[in-house]
Amino acid sequence: MCVGEGILPSGPLNGAVAGKVKFSTTLRPPEKPFLTVSWSFKGKNIITSTSTDIIDPGHVDRISLDRTTGALELRNLVLEDRGEYTVTIIPEGGLQELGKTTLDVYVPISGATIRSPTATLIENISSTNLSCEASGSIGTRVWLMDGLPLQPSGTVSLSSENRTVFIQPVHSSNHGTYQCRVSNPVSTVTVAYNLTVNFGPHNITIIGPSEAAPGRRVILQCTAYSVPPAVFSWMLNDNETHVNTSMYVIERLQTENIGNYTCTARNVVTRLENSTILNLREL
């Protein structure tokens, strides 16, 4: 008669190649030692322990048996160790205990990398893709962008098993750090890739007062959303000023400094430019 079908976890247990796993039973150490503890793998005996131990040659030096609970430790795992394990325990004066469970063995993830075609990407013109490659037993691939889950959209799509991200065409919102997280039950590796999308200049703005008192120092700051950073030029009342920085400084406001200041931002890669105007008046 057999009882105790649940003396092993239902499984599967997970192990890594070259690692170890322990099959623990739910039994407490008895007052008297078990008469027999026997483990088998796929129906083949691994070890039978009575007053002496009979061990399968393929498992010598790879297993340790805890005679007090019947637990078995298996070391130096290989892929061929996957399958069903059965333990049979006969206590002194008791009923036979039987347990079954399964073991899955995985090769740990290694060598993860993100590959992408080498090209200069320009917003709304170029397209690209990112491929996540890795060695080992790959269970899942998860993509993140700037730390958040990557969401497919009208221009972003994923291949089967999330191996490749397609972006057609690229947009400024696609500029950032992409991460691919490759996992299996025994390991997780995350790799990052910085995707550069050249765009802009967008959102040209002049920060500064629209009026100031004569003799005051006035600073006008031009900003633009652009990759690479924009280069700037200034005009006053449609006349060149030869100021080619983002900041325009008027040390002492005079009559000739009054009028329309035009800041032009230019992107040397996209070859686009945009301008904005601030009208500076005298108090």
Side-chain angles (χ1 to χ4, degrees):
M1 181 176 180
C2 296
V3 296
E5 296 285 337
I7 67 170
L8 288 178
S10 58
L13 300 180
N14 297 315
V17 167
K20 63 183 179 180
V21 67
K22 186 173 184 179
F23 299 91
S24 297
T25 72
T26 59
L27 301 178
R28 295 181 179 180
E31 293 182 2
K32 295 182 179 180
F34 296 125
L35 294 179
T36 303
V37 178
S38 180
W39 280 88
S40 63
F41 170 56
K42 294 181 179 179
K44 180 181 178 181
N45 184 69
I46 296 175
I47 181 172
T48 296
S49 179
T50 53
S51 56
T52 58
D53 293 340
I54 301 174
I55 303 175
D56 171 62
H59 289 83
V60 173
D61 298 327
R62 293 184 60 212
I63 59 173
S64 296
L65 179 66
D66 183 349
R67 285 283 274 126
T68 63
T69 64
L72 180 76
E73 182 181 85
L74 177 60
R75 301 179 295 276
N76 300 322
L77 294 174
V78 294
L79 292 175
E80 290 73 21
D81 290 325
R82 292 178 293 190
E84 185 180 76
Y85 289 77
T86 302
V87 61
T88 303
I89 298 176
I90 302 176
E92 184 173 325
L95 299 176
Q96 176 176 279
E97 304 275 6
L98 178 67
K100 293 182 180 180
T101 193
T102 56
L103 172 67
D104 285 338
V105 180
Y106 300 87
V107 179
I109 303 295
S110 64
T113 185
I114 296 176
R115 294 189 174 92
S116 183
T118 302
T120 299
L121 303 178
I122 298 177
E123 182 179 39
N124 296 327
I125 295 176
S126 309
S127 295
T128 193
N129 62 77
L130 306 172
S131 292
C132 181
E133 308 292 342
S135 299
S137 305
I138 297 175
T140 60
R141 289 183 178 90
V142 176
W143 286 92
L144 301 98
M145 194 266 189
D146 290 338
L148 298 175
L150 181 65
Q151 301 294 338
S153 65
T155 60
V156 178
S157 60
L158 294 168
S159 69
S160 62
E161 299 180 349
N162 289 354
R163 186 168 189 162
T164 304
V165 177
F166 299 97
I167 309 175
Q168 301 173 314
V170 295
H171 186 265
S172 60
S173 60
N174 305 128
H175 177 88
T177 301
Y178 289 76
Q179 292 178 304
C180 178
R181 184 175 298 152
V182 189
S183 302
N184 62 31
V186 298
S187 62
T188 298
V189 174
T190 301
V191 62
Y193 182 90
N194 293 320
L195 183 69
T196 299
V197 177
N198 298 280
F199 61 86
H202 302 321
N203 304 329
I204 314 303
T205 303
I206 298 176
I207 302 171
S210 58
E211 55 184 26
R216 296 297 298 272
R217 188 172 190 260
V218 177
I219 298 176
L220 305 178
Q221 178 74 51
C222 191
T223 63
Y225 187 43
S226 176
V227 172
V231 294
F232 298 93
S233 61
W234 292 85
M235 297 182 70
L236 171 58
N237 296 325
D238 296 326
N239 296 315
E240 294 287 348
T241 65
H242 305 294
V243 175
N244 297 307
T245 62
S246 63
M247 185 178 295
Y248 193 104
V249 180
I250 305 167
E251 293 297 342
R252 289 176 59 84
L253 184 66
Q254 300 179 31
T255 302
E256 62 264 27
N257 303 127
I258 300 303
N260 290 324
Y261 285 81
T262 302
C263 174
T264 299
R266 182 173 183 270
N267 186 313
V268 297
V269 175
T270 66
R271 299 184 180 181
L272 298 175
E273 64 180 38
N274 279 304
S275 301
T276 190
I277 299 174
L278 181 142
N279 180 251
L280 179 60
R281 301 182 300 275
E282 186 180 81
L283 281 173

